[in-house]
Amino acid sequence: MKLIQLANDRDFFYTDNEDEGIIETSPLVLDLLTWLSSFSVCKIRCLRYVATFAMYSFQDYLTELIVDLEDNYLSKLRKQLAMEQKKKRPNEKTLDKLETTVSEIQDGKTVIESNIDNIVKLCFVHRFKDVDDLIRAESMLHLAIWLENYPEYFFKVTFLKYFGWLLS
C-alpha cells in the first residue's frame, strides 16, 4: 500500500505520451499488474493469496483516489470554470488554465478507471470463485469496500451479481 501511495505522490501512476498527446498507464503500474496477476493464478495457494491480497489493496487505494480526485479537485475546478464562464468579461488565460487542468485531471481519472477495470478482469473475476475459502472471503470483502468507496462504478448489476452468486 505504501508503494502505491508513493507512486501516486511522485506521479508514477500515469505518463504523458507527448507524441500522441495522451495520458496512459505508467510502466510501473503495468509491471505491477502483470506480475501480480500472474501470481494470482498460481497453483501455490500462499502465492495466490498474497498476490490477490496485493491486487485488492491496490484496488482499494485506487477507488479511494478516484473519489478523492472527483470530490476534491474536479468538482471544485468545474465550479470555478462555470463561475468564470458566467462573468461578463471572463479572463481568457484563467479559462484556458482551468480547462486544461480539468482535462488533465479527467484524463488521469480515466487511466485510474482503466486500472480499476483491469484489476477486476485480471484478478477478481477469477478469485471470487477460488477453491480456497479465504480467497473467496477476501474477494467479497474487498468488493464491499470498493462498493462503499466508489458506488458510481461498482453499484451496477455487473458487480452486484457476485453478491447474488455468493448467497445462492
Side-chain angles (χ1 to χ4, degrees):
M1 185 67 136
K2 190 71 172 168
L3 174 68
I4 304 304
Q5 290 172 342
L6 186 62
N8 182 41
D9 292 343
R10 305 270 189 231
D11 293 329
F12 289 151
F13 265 153
Y14 35 85
T15 58
D16 191 7
N17 188 340
E18 294 176 16
D19 297 336
E20 299 174 17
I22 59 171
I23 295 177
E24 53 191 22
T25 303
S26 74
L28 171 69
V29 174
L30 287 175
D31 288 345
L32 276 174
L33 290 177
T34 301
W35 282 100
L36 289 175
S37 65
S38 296
F39 281 124
S40 73
V41 294
C42 180
K43 292 186 186 293
I44 302 169
R45 265 186 209 180
C46 58
L47 287 177
R48 191 170 66 236
Y49 179 80
V50 169
T52 301
F53 186 75
M55 293 271 280
Y56 289 168
S57 296
F58 187 20
Q59 183 87 313
D60 293 346
Y61 183 77
L62 290 178
T63 56
E64 291 170 6
L65 176 65
I66 204 163
V67 170
D68 183 54
L69 280 176
E70 183 64 42
D71 293 346
N72 295 329
Y73 297 102
L74 277 174
S75 63
K76 291 177 183 177
L77 287 170
R78 287 182 185 136
K79 286 178 187 176
Q80 288 177 349
L81 184 61
M83 294 298 288
E84 189 67 31
Q85 290 172 338
K86 286 181 184 178
K87 291 181 179 178
K88 288 184 181 181
R89 291 184 177 175
N91 186 340
E92 292 300 320
K93 284 185 177 180
T94 305
L95 277 176
D96 288 342
K97 184 171 179 152
L98 285 171
E99 288 172 350
T100 303
T101 306
V102 167
S103 175
E104 287 174 357
I105 293 175
Q106 188 63 44
D107 290 345
K109 183 180 172 187
T110 303
V111 169
I112 293 171
E113 276 186 348
S114 169
N115 288 328
I116 287 172
D117 194 45
N118 284 339
I119 291 173
V120 168
K121 288 177 183 173
L122 291 171
C123 189
F124 179 78
V125 297
H126 302 291
R127 296 305 100 203
F128 87 96
K129 55 186 174 186
D130 196 277
V131 296
D132 187 0
D133 56 344
L134 287 174
I135 294 175
R136 286 194 313 269
E138 284 291 330
S139 297
M140 298 316 293
L141 174 73
H142 284 277
L143 180 59
I145 292 170
W146 305 334
L147 184 71
E148 185 178 345
N149 288 348
Y150 191 27
E152 296 86 19
Y153 186 81
F154 287 99
F155 201 55
K156 297 176 186 170
V157 172
T158 53
F159 297 105
L160 294 177
K161 68 182 177 185
Y162 296 112
F163 287 115
W165 288 343
L166 178 72
L167 296 173
S168 62

